[in-house]
PDB file of all heavy atoms in Angstrom:
ATOM      1  N   THR N   1     -23.866  -5.550 -15.603  1.00  0.00           N
ATOM      2  CA  THR N   1     -22.548  -5.529 -14.962  1.00  0.00           C
ATOM      3  C   THR N   1     -21.652  -4.484 -15.618  1.00  0.00           C
ATOM      4  O   THR N   1     -21.892  -4.068 -16.756  1.00  0.00           O
ATOM      5  CB  THR N   1     -21.835  -6.891 -15.056  1.00  0.00           C
ATOM      6  OG1 THR N   1     -21.552  -7.166 -16.422  1.00  0.00           O
ATOM      7  CG2 THR N   1     -22.648  -7.999 -14.445  1.00  0.00           C
ATOM      8  N   ALA N   2     -20.626  -4.101 -14.888  1.00  0.00           N
ATOM      9  CA  ALA N   2     -19.563  -3.260 -15.423  1.00  0.00           C
ATOM     10  C   ALA N   2     -18.319  -3.529 -14.593  1.00  0.00           C
ATOM     11  O   ALA N   2     -18.411  -3.963 -13.432  1.00  0.00           O
ATOM     12  CB  ALA N   2     -19.936  -1.782 -15.372  1.00  0.00           C
ATOM     13  N   SER N   3     -17.153  -3.277 -15.182  1.00  0.00           N
ATOM     14  CA  SER N   3     -15.919  -3.548 -14.456  1.00  0.00           C
ATOM     15  C   SER N   3     -14.832  -2.544 -14.832  1.00  0.00           C
ATOM     16  O   SER N   3     -14.940  -1.810 -15.813  1.00  0.00           O
ATOM     17  CB  SER N   3     -15.441  -4.978 -14.729  1.00  0.00           C
ATOM     18  OG  SER N   3     -15.214  -5.164 -16.110  1.00  0.00           O
ATOM     19  N   PHE N   4     -13.786  -2.554 -14.022  1.00  0.00           N
ATOM     20  CA  PHE N   4     -12.618  -1.694 -14.208  1.00  0.00           C
ATOM     21  C   PHE N   4     -11.411  -2.457 -13.691  1.00  0.00           C
ATOM     22  O   PHE N   4     -11.483  -3.089 -12.639  1.00  0.00           O
ATOM     23  CB  PHE N   4     -12.805  -0.394 -13.421  1.00  0.00           C
ATOM     24  CG  PHE N   4     -11.608   0.515 -13.423  1.00  0.00           C
ATOM     25  CD1 PHE N   4     -11.248   1.223 -14.557  1.00  0.00           C
ATOM     26  CD2 PHE N   4     -10.845   0.665 -12.277  1.00  0.00           C
ATOM     27  CE1 PHE N   4     -10.147   2.066 -14.551  1.00  0.00           C
ATOM     28  CE2 PHE N   4      -9.745   1.508 -12.255  1.00  0.00           C
ATOM     29  CZ  PHE N   4      -9.393   2.210 -13.400  1.00  0.00           C
ATOM     30  N   MET N   5     -10.305  -2.412 -14.422  1.00  0.00           N
ATOM     31  CA  MET N   5      -9.100  -3.155 -14.034  1.00  0.00           C
ATOM     32  C   MET N   5      -7.934  -2.185 -13.854  1.00  0.00           C
ATOM     33  O   MET N   5      -7.764  -1.259 -14.654  1.00  0.00           O
ATOM     34  CB  MET N   5      -8.759  -4.178 -15.117  1.00  0.00           C
ATOM     35  CG  MET N   5      -7.573  -5.053 -14.788  1.00  0.00           C
ATOM     36  SD  MET N   5      -7.109  -6.153 -16.168  1.00  0.00           S
ATOM     37  CE  MET N   5      -8.573  -7.148 -16.344  1.00  0.00           C
ATOM     38  N   LYS N   6      -7.143  -2.425 -12.802  1.00  0.00           N
ATOM     39  CA  LYS N   6      -5.972  -1.586 -12.540  1.00  0.00           C
ATOM     40  C   LYS N   6      -4.905  -2.404 -11.824  1.00  0.00           C
ATOM     41  O   LYS N   6      -5.210  -3.184 -10.930  1.00  0.00           O
ATOM     42  CB  LYS N   6      -6.362  -0.401 -11.660  1.00  0.00           C
ATOM     43  CG  LYS N   6      -5.164   0.476 -11.286  1.00  0.00           C
ATOM     44  CD  LYS N   6      -5.571   1.770 -10.664  1.00  0.00           C
ATOM     45  CE  LYS N   6      -4.413   2.652 -10.291  1.00  0.00           C
ATOM     46  NZ  LYS N   6      -3.289   2.708 -11.182  1.00  0.00           N
ATOM     47  N   THR N   7      -3.649  -2.186 -12.216  1.00  0.00           N
ATOM     48  CA  THR N   7      -2.526  -2.773 -11.498  1.00  0.00           C
ATOM     49  C   THR N   7      -2.104  -1.777 -10.425  1.00  0.00           C
ATOM     50  O   THR N   7      -1.858  -0.604 -10.718  1.00  0.00           O
ATOM     51  CB  THR N   7      -1.363  -3.077 -12.452  1.00  0.00           C
ATOM     52  OG1 THR N   7      -1.821  -4.012 -13.439  1.00  0.00           O
ATOM     53  CG2 THR N   7      -0.178  -3.680 -11.697  1.00  0.00           C
ATOM     54  N   ILE N   8      -2.041  -2.240  -9.182  1.00  0.00           N
ATOM     55  CA  ILE N   8      -1.724  -1.381  -8.037  1.00  0.00           C
ATOM     56  C   ILE N   8      -0.212  -1.212  -7.945  1.00  0.00           C
ATOM     57  O   ILE N   8       0.524  -2.191  -7.785  1.00  0.00           O
ATOM     58  CB  ILE N   8      -2.276  -1.982  -6.729  1.00  0.00           C
ATOM     59  CG1 ILE N   8      -3.799  -2.218  -6.826  1.00  0.00           C
ATOM     60  CG2 ILE N   8      -1.915  -1.101  -5.531  1.00  0.00           C
ATOM     61  CD1 ILE N   8      -4.624  -0.977  -7.079  1.00  0.00           C
ATOM     62  N   SER N   9       0.231   0.028  -8.031  1.00  0.00           N
ATOM     63  CA  SER N   9       1.662   0.312  -7.988  1.00  0.00           C
ATOM     64  C   SER N   9       2.066   0.864  -6.627  1.00  0.00           C
ATOM     65  O   SER N   9       1.229   1.285  -5.827  1.00  0.00           O
ATOM     66  CB  SER N   9       2.018   1.336  -9.074  1.00  0.00           C
ATOM     67  OG  SER N   9       1.474   2.606  -8.741  1.00  0.00           O
ATOM     68  N   GLU N  10       3.363   0.873  -6.402  1.00  0.00           N
ATOM     69  CA  GLU N  10       3.904   1.464  -5.181  1.00  0.00           C
ATOM     70  C   GLU N  10       3.511   2.939  -5.097  1.00  0.00           C
ATOM     71  O   GLU N  10       3.124   3.434  -4.040  1.00  0.00           O
ATOM     72  CB  GLU N  10       5.422   1.302  -5.156  1.00  0.00           C
ATOM     73  CG  GLU N  10       6.075   1.844  -3.902  1.00  0.00           C
ATOM     74  CD  GLU N  10       7.569   1.573  -3.871  1.00  0.00           C
ATOM     75  OE1 GLU N  10       8.217   1.605  -4.939  1.00  0.00           O
ATOM     76  OE2 GLU N  10       8.085   1.333  -2.770  1.00  0.00           O
ATOM     77  N   SER N  11       3.566   3.639  -6.220  1.00  0.00           N
ATOM     78  CA  SER N  11       3.212   5.063  -6.190  1.00  0.00           C
ATOM     79  C   SER N  11       1.734   5.269  -5.884  1.00  0.00           C
ATOM     80  O   SER N  11       1.378   6.242  -5.203  1.00  0.00           O
ATOM     81  CB  SER N  11       3.611   5.764  -7.486  1.00  0.00           C
ATOM     82  OG  SER N  11       2.946   5.222  -8.593  1.00  0.00           O
ATOM     83  N   ASP N  12       0.856   4.371  -6.336  1.00  0.00           N
ATOM     84  CA  ASP N  12      -0.569   4.465  -5.980  1.00  0.00           C
ATOM     85  C   ASP N  12      -0.728   4.444  -4.464  1.00  0.00           C
ATOM     86  O   ASP N  12      -1.472   5.241  -3.887  1.00  0.00           O
ATOM     87  CB  ASP N  12      -1.377   3.295  -6.561  1.00  0.00           C
ATOM     88  CG  ASP N  12      -1.489   3.309  -8.065  1.00  0.00           C
ATOM     89  OD1 ASP N  12      -1.506   4.411  -8.667  1.00  0.00           O
ATOM     90  OD2 ASP N  12      -1.557   2.204  -8.647  1.00  0.00           O
ATOM     91  N   VAL N  13      -0.028   3.519  -3.822  1.00  0.00           N
ATOM     92  CA  VAL N  13      -0.137   3.356  -2.372  1.00  0.00           C
ATOM     93  C   VAL N  13       0.440   4.575  -1.650  1.00  0.00           C
ATOM     94  O   VAL N  13      -0.170   5.089  -0.698  1.00  0.00           O
ATOM     95  CB  VAL N  13       0.528   2.043  -1.915  1.00  0.00           C
ATOM     96  CG1 VAL N  13       0.569   1.946  -0.396  1.00  0.00           C
ATOM     97  CG2 VAL N  13      -0.209   0.845  -2.517  1.00  0.00           C
ATOM     98  N   TYR N  14       1.586   5.056  -2.102  1.00  0.00           N
ATOM     99  CA  TYR N  14       2.190   6.229  -1.461  1.00  0.00           C
ATOM    100  C   TYR N  14       1.337   7.481  -1.655  1.00  0.00           C
ATOM    101  O   TYR N  14       1.188   8.290  -0.730  1.00  0.00           O
ATOM    102  CB  TYR N  14       3.616   6.458  -1.966  1.00  0.00           C
ATOM    103  CG  TYR N  14       4.621   5.636  -1.204  1.00  0.00           C
ATOM    104  CD1 TYR N  14       4.931   4.344  -1.612  1.00  0.00           C
ATOM    105  CD2 TYR N  14       5.235   6.135  -0.068  1.00  0.00           C
ATOM    106  CE1 TYR N  14       5.844   3.571  -0.912  1.00  0.00           C
ATOM    107  CE2 TYR N  14       6.152   5.368   0.645  1.00  0.00           C
ATOM    108  CZ  TYR N  14       6.451   4.087   0.218  1.00  0.00           C
ATOM    109  OH  TYR N  14       7.346   3.326   0.926  1.00  0.00           O
ATOM    110  N   LEU N  15       0.782   7.662  -2.830  1.00  0.00           N
ATOM    111  CA  LEU N  15      -0.100   8.815  -3.055  1.00  0.00           C
ATOM    112  C   LEU N  15      -1.335   8.732  -2.166  1.00  0.00           C
ATOM    113  O   LEU N  15      -1.758   9.725  -1.572  1.00  0.00           O
ATOM    114  CB  LEU N  15      -0.497   8.901  -4.532  1.00  0.00           C
ATOM    115  CG  LEU N  15       0.593   9.373  -5.479  1.00  0.00           C
ATOM    116  CD1 LEU N  15       0.189   9.133  -6.932  1.00  0.00           C
ATOM    117  CD2 LEU N  15       0.910  10.843  -5.246  1.00  0.00           C
ATOM    118  N   PHE N  16      -1.918   7.549  -2.075  1.00  0.00           N
ATOM    119  CA  PHE N  16      -3.098   7.362  -1.234  1.00  0.00           C
ATOM    120  C   PHE N  16      -2.755   7.647   0.226  1.00  0.00           C
ATOM    121  O   PHE N  16      -3.514   8.330   0.925  1.00  0.00           O
ATOM    122  CB  PHE N  16      -3.653   5.939  -1.400  1.00  0.00           C
ATOM    123  CG  PHE N  16      -4.985   5.743  -0.761  1.00  0.00           C
ATOM    124  CD1 PHE N  16      -6.149   6.085  -1.420  1.00  0.00           C
ATOM    125  CD2 PHE N  16      -5.086   5.212   0.521  1.00  0.00           C
ATOM    126  CE1 PHE N  16      -7.393   5.905  -0.831  1.00  0.00           C
ATOM    127  CE2 PHE N  16      -6.319   5.021   1.119  1.00  0.00           C
ATOM    128  CZ  PHE N  16      -7.471   5.369   0.447  1.00  0.00           C
ATOM    129  N   ALA N  17      -1.613   7.155   0.684  1.00  0.00           N
ATOM    130  CA  ALA N  17      -1.177   7.412   2.064  1.00  0.00           C
ATOM    131  C   ALA N  17      -1.021   8.908   2.298  1.00  0.00           C
ATOM    132  O   ALA N  17      -1.419   9.445   3.338  1.00  0.00           O
ATOM    133  CB  ALA N  17       0.127   6.678   2.363  1.00  0.00           C
ATOM    134  N   GLY N  18      -0.440   9.606   1.338  1.00  0.00           N
ATOM    135  CA  GLY N  18      -0.256  11.043   1.473  1.00  0.00           C
ATOM    136  C   GLY N  18      -1.562  11.806   1.506  1.00  0.00           C
ATOM    137  O   GLY N  18      -1.726  12.750   2.283  1.00  0.00           O
ATOM    138  N   ILE N  19      -2.502  11.407   0.681  1.00  0.00           N
ATOM    139  CA  ILE N  19      -3.802  12.074   0.629  1.00  0.00           C
ATOM    140  C   ILE N  19      -4.588  11.846   1.912  1.00  0.00           C
ATOM    141  O   ILE N  19      -5.185  12.769   2.467  1.00  0.00           O
ATOM    142  CB  ILE N  19      -4.612  11.592  -0.594  1.00  0.00           C
ATOM    143  CG1 ILE N  19      -3.960  12.102  -1.882  1.00  0.00           C
ATOM    144  CG2 ILE N  19      -6.075  12.027  -0.511  1.00  0.00           C
ATOM    145  CD1 ILE N  19      -4.456  11.416  -3.133  1.00  0.00           C
ATOM    146  N   THR N  20      -4.583  10.611   2.401  1.00  0.00           N
ATOM    147  CA  THR N  20      -5.430  10.266   3.556  1.00  0.00           C
ATOM    148  C   THR N  20      -4.732  10.435   4.896  1.00  0.00           C
ATOM    149  O   THR N  20      -5.397  10.514   5.925  1.00  0.00           O
ATOM    150  CB  THR N  20      -5.898   8.804   3.463  1.00  0.00           C
ATOM    151  OG1 THR N  20      -4.748   7.943   3.511  1.00  0.00           O
ATOM    152  CG2 THR N  20      -6.700   8.554   2.194  1.00  0.00           C
ATOM    153  N   GLY N  21      -3.402  10.439   4.903  1.00  0.00           N
ATOM    154  CA  GLY N  21      -2.667  10.473   6.163  1.00  0.00           C
ATOM    155  C   GLY N  21      -2.503   9.107   6.800  1.00  0.00           C
ATOM    156  O   GLY N  21      -1.952   8.980   7.901  1.00  0.00           O
ATOM    157  N   ASP N  22      -2.955   8.047   6.124  1.00  0.00           N
ATOM    158  CA  ASP N  22      -2.803   6.681   6.641  1.00  0.00           C
ATOM    159  C   ASP N  22      -1.431   6.160   6.243  1.00  0.00           C
ATOM    160  O   ASP N  22      -1.252   5.591   5.176  1.00  0.00           O
ATOM    161  CB  ASP N  22      -3.902   5.765   6.108  1.00  0.00           C
ATOM    162  CG  ASP N  22      -3.805   4.344   6.648  1.00  0.00           C
ATOM    163  OD1 ASP N  22      -2.808   4.009   7.330  1.00  0.00           O
ATOM    164  OD2 ASP N  22      -4.733   3.550   6.383  1.00  0.00           O
ATOM    165  N   ASN N  23      -0.456   6.400   7.117  1.00  0.00           N
ATOM    166  CA  ASN N  23       0.927   5.983   6.875  1.00  0.00           C
ATOM    167  C   ASN N  23       1.287   4.723   7.657  1.00  0.00           C
ATOM    168  O   ASN N  23       2.433   4.548   8.080  1.00  0.00           O
ATOM    169  CB  ASN N  23       1.872   7.134   7.233  1.00  0.00           C
ATOM    170  CG  ASN N  23       1.674   8.307   6.309  1.00  0.00           C
ATOM    171  OD1 ASN N  23       1.726   8.172   5.101  1.00  0.00           O
ATOM    172  ND2 ASN N  23       1.407   9.472   6.883  1.00  0.00           N
ATOM    173  N   ASN N  24       0.328   3.850   7.836  1.00  0.00           N
ATOM    174  CA  ASN N  24       0.535   2.585   8.519  1.00  0.00           C
ATOM    175  C   ASN N  24       1.736   1.869   7.883  1.00  0.00           C
ATOM    176  O   ASN N  24       1.803   1.745   6.660  1.00  0.00           O
ATOM    177  CB  ASN N  24      -0.736   1.739   8.380  1.00  0.00           C
ATOM    178  CG  ASN N  24      -0.682   0.433   9.117  1.00  0.00           C
ATOM    179  OD1 ASN N  24       0.366  -0.183   9.259  1.00  0.00           O
ATOM    180  ND2 ASN N  24      -1.831  -0.009   9.576  1.00  0.00           N
ATOM    181  N   PRO N  25       2.689   1.399   8.702  1.00  0.00           N
ATOM    182  CA  PRO N  25       3.858   0.694   8.159  1.00  0.00           C
ATOM    183  C   PRO N  25       3.497  -0.503   7.277  1.00  0.00           C
ATOM    184  O   PRO N  25       4.285  -0.872   6.406  1.00  0.00           O
ATOM    185  CB  PRO N  25       4.615   0.240   9.411  1.00  0.00           C
ATOM    186  CG  PRO N  25       4.194   1.192  10.475  1.00  0.00           C
ATOM    187  CD  PRO N  25       2.765   1.560  10.153  1.00  0.00           C
ATOM    188  N   ALA N  26       2.328  -1.082   7.461  1.00  0.00           N
ATOM    189  CA  ALA N  26       1.905  -2.202   6.613  1.00  0.00           C
ATOM    190  C   ALA N  26       1.828  -1.789   5.145  1.00  0.00           C
ATOM    191  O   ALA N  26       1.905  -2.626   4.255  1.00  0.00           O
ATOM    192  CB  ALA N  26       0.543  -2.736   7.069  1.00  0.00           C
ATOM    193  N   HIS N  27       1.701  -0.476   4.918  1.00  0.00           N
ATOM    194  CA  HIS N  27       1.573   0.035   3.562  1.00  0.00           C
ATOM    195  C   HIS N  27       2.850   0.688   3.032  1.00  0.00           C
ATOM    196  O   HIS N  27       3.112   0.632   1.838  1.00  0.00           O
ATOM    197  CB  HIS N  27       0.439   1.066   3.478  1.00  0.00           C
ATOM    198  CG  HIS N  27      -0.839   0.599   4.051  1.00  0.00           C
ATOM    199  ND1 HIS N  27      -1.492  -0.546   3.625  1.00  0.00           N
ATOM    200  CD2 HIS N  27      -1.619   1.118   5.036  1.00  0.00           C
ATOM    201  CE1 HIS N  27      -2.605  -0.707   4.318  1.00  0.00           C
ATOM    202  NE2 HIS N  27      -2.703   0.287   5.182  1.00  0.00           N
ATOM    203  N   ILE N  28       3.646   1.294   3.913  1.00  0.00           N
ATOM    204  CA  ILE N  28       4.741   2.134   3.409  1.00  0.00           C
ATOM    205  C   ILE N  28       6.139   1.775   3.920  1.00  0.00           C
ATOM    206  O   ILE N  28       7.104   2.381   3.489  1.00  0.00           O
ATOM    207  CB  ILE N  28       4.467   3.625   3.701  1.00  0.00           C
ATOM    208  CG1 ILE N  28       4.426   3.894   5.203  1.00  0.00           C
ATOM    209  CG2 ILE N  28       3.188   4.094   3.027  1.00  0.00           C
ATOM    210  CD1 ILE N  28       4.496   5.353   5.558  1.00  0.00           C
ATOM    211  N   ASN N  29       6.254   0.800   4.809  1.00  0.00           N
ATOM    212  CA  ASN N  29       7.563   0.465   5.367  1.00  0.00           C
ATOM    213  C   ASN N  29       7.825  -1.033   5.159  1.00  0.00           C
ATOM    214  O   ASN N  29       7.312  -1.871   5.906  1.00  0.00           O
ATOM    215  CB  ASN N  29       7.607   0.834   6.849  1.00  0.00           C
ATOM    216  CG  ASN N  29       8.971   0.635   7.471  1.00  0.00           C
ATOM    217  OD1 ASN N  29       9.631  -0.376   7.243  1.00  0.00           O
ATOM    218  ND2 ASN N  29       9.383   1.598   8.286  1.00  0.00           N
ATOM    219  N   GLN N  30       8.647  -1.350   4.169  1.00  0.00           N
ATOM    220  CA  GLN N  30       8.884  -2.750   3.807  1.00  0.00           C
ATOM    221  C   GLN N  30       9.440  -3.556   4.976  1.00  0.00           C
ATOM    222  O   GLN N  30       8.992  -4.672   5.232  1.00  0.00           O
ATOM    223  CB  GLN N  30       9.826  -2.838   2.597  1.00  0.00           C
ATOM    224  CG  GLN N  30      10.125  -4.253   2.143  1.00  0.00           C
ATOM    225  CD  GLN N  30       8.905  -4.993   1.607  1.00  0.00           C
ATOM    226  OE1 GLN N  30       7.961  -4.402   1.116  1.00  0.00           O
ATOM    227  NE2 GLN N  30       8.931  -6.318   1.729  1.00  0.00           N
ATOM    228  N   ILE N  31      10.404  -3.016   5.696  1.00  0.00           N
ATOM    229  CA  ILE N  31      11.046  -3.752   6.796  1.00  0.00           C
ATOM    230  C   ILE N  31      10.027  -4.075   7.883  1.00  0.00           C
ATOM    231  O   ILE N  31       9.944  -5.214   8.348  1.00  0.00           O
ATOM    232  CB  ILE N  31      12.255  -2.970   7.354  1.00  0.00           C
ATOM    233  CG1 ILE N  31      13.351  -2.919   6.286  1.00  0.00           C
ATOM    234  CG2 ILE N  31      12.783  -3.601   8.637  1.00  0.00           C
ATOM    235  CD1 ILE N  31      14.476  -1.960   6.568  1.00  0.00           C
ATOM    236  N   GLU N  32       9.248  -3.091   8.272  1.00  0.00           N
ATOM    237  CA  GLU N  32       8.221  -3.333   9.297  1.00  0.00           C
ATOM    238  C   GLU N  32       7.118  -4.249   8.776  1.00  0.00           C
ATOM    239  O   GLU N  32       6.627  -5.118   9.491  1.00  0.00           O
ATOM    240  CB  GLU N  32       7.625  -2.004   9.791  1.00  0.00           C
ATOM    241  CG  GLU N  32       8.577  -1.190  10.639  1.00  0.00           C
ATOM    242  CD  GLU N  32       9.057  -1.925  11.881  1.00  0.00           C
ATOM    243  OE1 GLU N  32       8.220  -2.517  12.600  1.00  0.00           O
ATOM    244  OE2 GLU N  32      10.274  -1.918  12.137  1.00  0.00           O
ATOM    245  N   ALA N  33       6.708  -4.052   7.513  1.00  0.00           N
ATOM    246  CA  ALA N  33       5.643  -4.872   6.936  1.00  0.00           C
ATOM    247  C   ALA N  33       6.045  -6.344   6.854  1.00  0.00           C
ATOM    248  O   ALA N  33       5.204  -7.227   7.016  1.00  0.00           O
ATOM    249  CB  ALA N  33       5.273  -4.345   5.555  1.00  0.00           C
ATOM    250  N   GLU N  34       7.333  -6.613   6.643  1.00  0.00           N
ATOM    251  CA  GLU N  34       7.800  -8.001   6.582  1.00  0.00           C
ATOM    252  C   GLU N  34       7.619  -8.719   7.912  1.00  0.00           C
ATOM    253  O   GLU N  34       7.525  -9.939   7.949  1.00  0.00           O
ATOM    254  CB  GLU N  34       9.266  -8.049   6.149  1.00  0.00           C
ATOM    255  CG  GLU N  34       9.449  -7.750   4.686  1.00  0.00           C
ATOM    256  CD  GLU N  34      10.905  -7.639   4.263  1.00  0.00           C
ATOM    257  OE1 GLU N  34      11.816  -7.754   5.121  1.00  0.00           O
ATOM    258  OE2 GLU N  34      11.140  -7.410   3.058  1.00  0.00           O
ATOM    259  N   LYS N  35       7.543  -7.982   8.998  1.00  0.00           N
ATOM    260  CA  LYS N  35       7.324  -8.568  10.328  1.00  0.00           C
ATOM    261  C   LYS N  35       5.851  -8.859  10.590  1.00  0.00           C
ATOM    262  O   LYS N  35       5.520  -9.547  11.546  1.00  0.00           O
ATOM    263  CB  LYS N  35       7.836  -7.611  11.410  1.00  0.00           C
ATOM    264  CG  LYS N  35       9.315  -7.313  11.327  1.00  0.00           C
ATOM    265  CD  LYS N  35       9.689  -6.252  12.353  1.00  0.00           C
ATOM    266  CE  LYS N  35      11.121  -5.765  12.180  1.00  0.00           C
ATOM    267  NZ  LYS N  35      11.415  -4.638  13.084  1.00  0.00           N
ATOM    268  N   GLY N  36       4.977  -8.328   9.751  1.00  0.00           N
ATOM    269  CA  GLY N  36       3.536  -8.458   9.968  1.00  0.00           C
ATOM    270  C   GLY N  36       2.943  -9.714   9.367  1.00  0.00           C
ATOM    271  O   GLY N  36       3.637 -10.572   8.812  1.00  0.00           O
ATOM    272  N   ALA N  37       1.642  -9.780   9.449  1.00  0.00           N
ATOM    273  CA  ALA N  37       0.890 -10.959   9.023  1.00  0.00           C
ATOM    274  C   ALA N  37       1.041 -11.271   7.537  1.00  0.00           C
ATOM    275  O   ALA N  37       0.966 -12.437   7.139  1.00  0.00           O
ATOM    276  CB  ALA N  37      -0.592 -10.764   9.351  1.00  0.00           C
ATOM    277  N   PHE N  38       1.267 -10.249   6.703  1.00  0.00           N
ATOM    278  CA  PHE N  38       1.285 -10.470   5.260  1.00  0.00           C
ATOM    279  C   PHE N  38       2.692 -10.550   4.675  1.00  0.00           C
ATOM    280  O   PHE N  38       2.867 -10.684   3.476  1.00  0.00           O
ATOM    281  CB  PHE N  38       0.448  -9.396   4.562  1.00  0.00           C
ATOM    282  CG  PHE N  38      -0.974  -9.384   5.042  1.00  0.00           C
ATOM    283  CD1 PHE N  38      -1.476  -8.294   5.722  1.00  0.00           C
ATOM    284  CD2 PHE N  38      -1.800 -10.482   4.846  1.00  0.00           C
ATOM    285  CE1 PHE N  38      -2.785  -8.286   6.182  1.00  0.00           C
ATOM    286  CE2 PHE N  38      -3.098 -10.492   5.296  1.00  0.00           C
ATOM    287  CZ  PHE N  38      -3.592  -9.389   5.973  1.00  0.00           C
ATOM    288  N   LYS N  39       3.709 -10.424   5.527  1.00  0.00           N
ATOM    289  CA  LYS N  39       5.116 -10.601   5.142  1.00  0.00           C
ATOM    290  C   LYS N  39       5.577  -9.627   4.059  1.00  0.00           C
ATOM    291  O   LYS N  39       6.496  -9.924   3.306  1.00  0.00           O
ATOM    292  CB  LYS N  39       5.390 -12.045   4.705  1.00  0.00           C
ATOM    293  CG  LYS N  39       4.978 -13.083   5.730  1.00  0.00           C
ATOM    294  CD  LYS N  39       5.734 -12.906   7.009  1.00  0.00           C
ATOM    295  CE  LYS N  39       5.314 -13.962   8.026  1.00  0.00           C
ATOM    296  NZ  LYS N  39       5.428 -13.490   9.389  1.00  0.00           N
ATOM    297  N   GLY N  40       4.941  -8.490   3.974  1.00  0.00           N
ATOM    298  CA  GLY N  40       5.325  -7.465   3.004  1.00  0.00           C
ATOM    299  C   GLY N  40       4.267  -6.385   2.962  1.00  0.00           C
ATOM    300  O   GLY N  40       3.213  -6.495   3.587  1.00  0.00           O
TER     301      GLY N  40
END
């Protein structure tokens, strides 16, 4: 076995969105995400 641990930050998500172009509001828009299934 092997493992790796990381705390996911807001900047991690924004950088990933910028790199991939996946700007889904579920990831980058708090107001819209609060209306969704995960409430944030």
Side-chain angles (χ1 to χ4, degrees):
T1 65
S3 59
F4 174 73
M5 183 185 298
K6 177 169 180 39
T7 299
I8 303 300
S9 70
E10 182 176 35
S11 62
D12 292 328
V13 173
Y14 275 88
L15 287 168
F16 190 84
I19 291 165
T20 63
D22 182 352
N23 294 307
N24 183 328
H27 309 303
I28 64 166
N29 185 316
Q30 180 65 27
I31 293 168
E32 289 301 313
E34 286 174 358
K35 299 174 188 174
F38 302 115
K39 306 299 180 210

